[in-house]
Amino acid sequence: MPRSPVGRETERVDGRLKATGAAEYSGDYRAADLAHAHLVTSTIARGTLTGIDTAAALASPGVLRVYAAPDPRLGLYPITGPLAGFVENYVPLHDAEVRFHGQAIAMVVAETPEQARDAAARVTATYDTQPPRTSIADEPHVPAGPTISGSPSSLNILAPGVASIDAALAASDVVVEAEFHQHMQHHVAMEPHATLAMWKGDQVTIYAGAQVPSAYALGMAQRLGVLPQNVRLITKYVGGGFGARVILWSDTPLAAAAAREIGRPVRLVLTREQMFTLTGHRPQLTQTVRLGASRNGVLNAVSHQSVSERPTTVTFPMTPAHATTDALYRTPNLHVDAQLAALDIPGSRAMRGPNEAPGAFALETAMDELAVATGVDPVELRLRNYATTSPSTGLPWSSKHLEECYRVGARRFGWSARSATPRSRVDGQWLYGTGMATAIYPAHRRAASVRVRLLDDDTAVVSTGISDFGTGGATMVGISGADALGIPLTRVTPEIGDTLLPQGAPAAGSSATHATVPLIVNAARDAINELKRLAVTDDRSPWHGASADDLRYERGILHGQGRSMTFGRLLATVGSPGITALAESSGDVDPGYVHHSFGAHFCEVRVNRFTGETRVTRFTTVADVGRVINSRAARSQLVGGVIFGIGHALLEENPLGLDTGRLASSTLADYLVPVNADVPDIDVHLLGRPDPVLTGPLGDGGEDVGTRSLGARGLGEIGTVGSAAAIGNAVHNATGIRVRNVPITLDKLIEHL
C-alpha cells in the first residue's frame, strides 16, 4: 500500500478553491430572474403588532412584494414531532405576537438587494407593548431537564453516611466557594446566513448553510407543507457555523415561501445586525461552584449549580456541569444542578463547546483557587484528583490519556519555572503570570451513512451528506477513503454537502469524524468484496470461475492465480462503469464505556500594571483526541478553539438592556472578537492515541485494506473548553486579582492593581 495519508500534513482538497475565491457559498449562487428579500425586525421585546404600514415600501422602485405579519400568503406551518426542538416554536410572519427584540415582522422582496433594503427601511410598525422578562435573577427558576446527551441535568451522589452535599462540604478541611457570571456571546461566523430558494413545480432546491443538512431539509419540508423528498438542500461551502447553523431559523423558510408565492428564485441574506438576534447565541449564565478538600488538596465534595436563560422561542438547555464537573475529577460526594428562567429574548443555541466552555471556566477557575488555598501546584492538584472511571456513572473510559497531556504540556510549556506567588515576575510596566486548566469534551456518535464507488478509471468517489463549514470535513472524507482503499488521495473524490447524497453525520458536537470514518472503512470493505465477487462471476473477467477467497486486493489492484489487474481495468474489461457499496450506522456506542476527548492548556499572560491591559503571550495545548486523520487541519482546529477561549476570557460579551430587551451590540465594531494582535503563537501537540472502543476494534496492523478501525475521535471543540480558565488563572498569577465574571476587562482589573 502507498503511504497512508492518515495523520499526515495534508492540504485541504478545497483549499485552493477557497483561497482563490472560486468556492461558491450560499450567497454566491446565481439564478435566472432572481429576486432579493430583506427582513424588517421588531423594535420591542414583547407585545402585539397593532399595525404595519407598508404603503411607502410597496411604492418604492423595484418592489415585488411586502409580506407583513400576519401574512397568510407565505403558507408556512408549525413543526411537530421529533423536529419540534430543532426549530423556533412559532411560525414566522404568521401572527401579530412579538416575542423578542429583533424578531422578523415583515419581509420585502424586490428586483435588487439595494431596492429591497431601501424599501424595508420605509416599513413602519405600531405595537401594544408589554414589559419584557429579561433578568435571570428576577424570574422563577425551573429545572433544565435532560442534557443534550439524555442524562439528567441534576445529580446527587453521596458517600455512605453523608447526609447532604452541604454536610460533605462542612466536613472538608478546605472549602472554596465562587460565583461566576457571563453575558450572552455570539457565533459571529464570517459568512452571514444566506439562502437561495428555487422552485420547479412542487420541488424546491435550497442553497443555505447547515450543520445538520438532513434534519434541516426535513424541517423545511414541514415548514413549507411539502413532501420530504421534494426538498433538496445544497450546503457545500459554509463560512463558519460554531452552532449557529445547527437548527432551522426563520430566514430560510421565509425565502423559500416567498420564492414559491412569486414564482421566482429568491435570495435572502441577513445583515450582521440581524445575525445577532435571528441566529442564536450562547446563553447568559450564572454559576456557583463549591469545592471541599483535604489540606493536601484531595477532593471530598464538589457542587456545581447554574441558572441560565430559557428564551420563549427556542432554547438551548444550558447545563454547564454536564461533561465537565460530573465527568472530570474523582470525588466521593458530587452534586450538580441546572436551572432555567423564561425570558423574552432572542432564541439561544449551542455555541462551540456549548455547555463545556462556560462550565470549565467555572470549575477550572475554582480548582485554581483550591490550588492557591492548599498550596498545591495546579497540575499536581489535578493529578491527585485524577479520575480513572467516570465520577457520575462509574464506567470506564473508552480511552483516556489526560495524565500524559498534563505531563507533556507542562514540559513543552516550561511549567516547572513558574512561581506560585502572584506579582512575582515584573518586566517594566508588565506583570507576567502563568496558568493552566483541563479540557474535556464528550465524543457522541450520530446516525450516518456513506457510499463508496469504484470507477473504471481507477478513481473512487466517497459520498456522504455532511457539511464542511471550514473544519476540513471534505478532506477528512478523502483521506479516510484513500486509506481504506489503499490508493493515493489524488484518486479519491469526496462528495459532501447535498441532501441527495447518503445522510451525513451532523457537523456538530465534534462528532462528524468519528461517525463518518468507520463507515468509510466499512463501505470500502464491502466495495472490495463486491469487486472480488464481480471478478469471479463475470465471464469476461480473467478470474471467472475462481473463488473470491483466492483473490487479494492491495493498492487498488486485484491479485490472484498469477494475474494482477487494477480495479479500474477490471471494471472496464467487464463493461461495468463502477461498483457501489453503502454503509450505515445508527450511531450507537458501547454502553459499557463513556467516551470523551481530553486536553490540558498552559498559558502565559502579561498585564499592564498601570492600565490593566491584558495580553496572552504564550499558549500550549496538548490534546488526547484519538487517532488524528489530518494533522494540519487538527492543529488548525485546536488553534481556532484556543482563539475562541481568548475571546471568551478577554473580549466577548453582549449585555442585555433589562428595560428594553435589546442587545447592546449588533455589529463587529462593538462586539469584540480576537484579531491577530490578540493571538500569540499557539503550540499544539496531539497525542494521537487511537481510541480502541469508540469506532470498533483497532486490530494489530496486519488486516486487509478496508478492514481496520482508525480509532479517531472528534476534536473541533476541545480547544475551546478550559482555555478561558487557563487565561483567567494566569491573570490571577500575574496580578493576584481573581476575576470570576468574563470577559476579564480593564475595569475589573485596574481598580485593584
Side-chain angles (χ1 to χ4, degrees), residues 642-702:
V642 171
I643 294 172
F644 248 72
I646 293 173
H648 186 183
L650 301 179
L651 297 168
E652 295 185 51
E653 64 176 336
N654 203 351
L656 184 72
L658 297 183
D659 54 341
T660 64
R662 180 177 182 178
L663 292 169
S665 300
S666 60
T667 73
L668 290 180
D670 45 26
Y671 182 83
L672 303 180
V673 296
V675 297
N676 286 351
D678 301 304
V679 181
D681 287 336
I682 297 171
D683 171 37
V684 170
H685 180 72
L686 299 149
L687 295 186
R689 298 288 195 91
D691 190 314
V693 174
L694 181 61
T695 57
L698 293 173
D700 59 9

Side-chain angles (χ1 to χ4, degrees), residues 173-176 289-302 328-331 362-388 400 402-403 406-407 410 415 418 420 436-438 600 602 729 738:
D173 296 330
V174 180
V175 176
V176 167
V289 175
R290 295 179 294 166
L291 305 178
S294 65
R295 288 184 177 85
N296 63 355
V298 176
L299 287 168
N300 175 57
V302 176
L328 203 45
Y329 298 116
R330 184 181 66 250
T331 178
L363 174 64
E364 291 300 286
T365 302
M367 284 292 286
D368 197 69
E369 296 191 45
L370 181 62
V372 172
T374 58
V376 178
D377 178 83
V379 174
E380 177 60 28
L381 180 74
R382 286 159 174 82
L383 291 171
R384 290 182 186 182
N385 294 286
Y386 195 83
T388 55
K400 182 181 182 182
L402 177 57
E403 182 177 1
Y406 290 139
R407 300 196 187 282
W415 182 258
R418 172 185 185 265
M436 60 83 56
T438 306
F602 295 83
N729 294 338
R738 182 71 69 181

Side-chain angles (χ1 to χ4, degrees), residues 473-494:
T475 309
M476 172 271 292
V477 169
I479 289 172
S480 302
D483 177 79
L485 293 168
I487 60 178
L489 178 57
T490 54
R491 287 168 50 191
V492 177
T493 300

Side-chain angles (χ1 to χ4, degrees), residues 455-542:
L455 304 180
D456 60 4
D457 62 354
D458 280 322
T459 66
V461 179
V462 183
S463 308
T464 184
I466 66 168
S467 65
D468 181 347
F469 51 100
T471 53
T475 309
M476 172 271 292
V477 169
I479 289 172
S480 302
D483 177 79
L485 293 168
I487 60 178
L489 178 57
T490 54
R491 287 168 50 191
V492 177
T493 300
E495 277 189 335
I496 67 165
D498 191 330
T499 53
L500 290 185
L501 300 174
Q503 177 183 328
S510 299
S511 62
T513 295
H514 58 255
T516 304
V517 169
L519 293 179
I520 294 173
V521 171
N522 292 345
R525 175 200 61 212
D526 292 346
I528 292 167
N529 289 337
E530 178 62 18
L531 184 73
K532 292 179 180 178
R533 188 201 65 79
L534 179 68
V536 300
T537 58
D538 193 292
D539 58 11
R540 291 166 292 184
S541 166

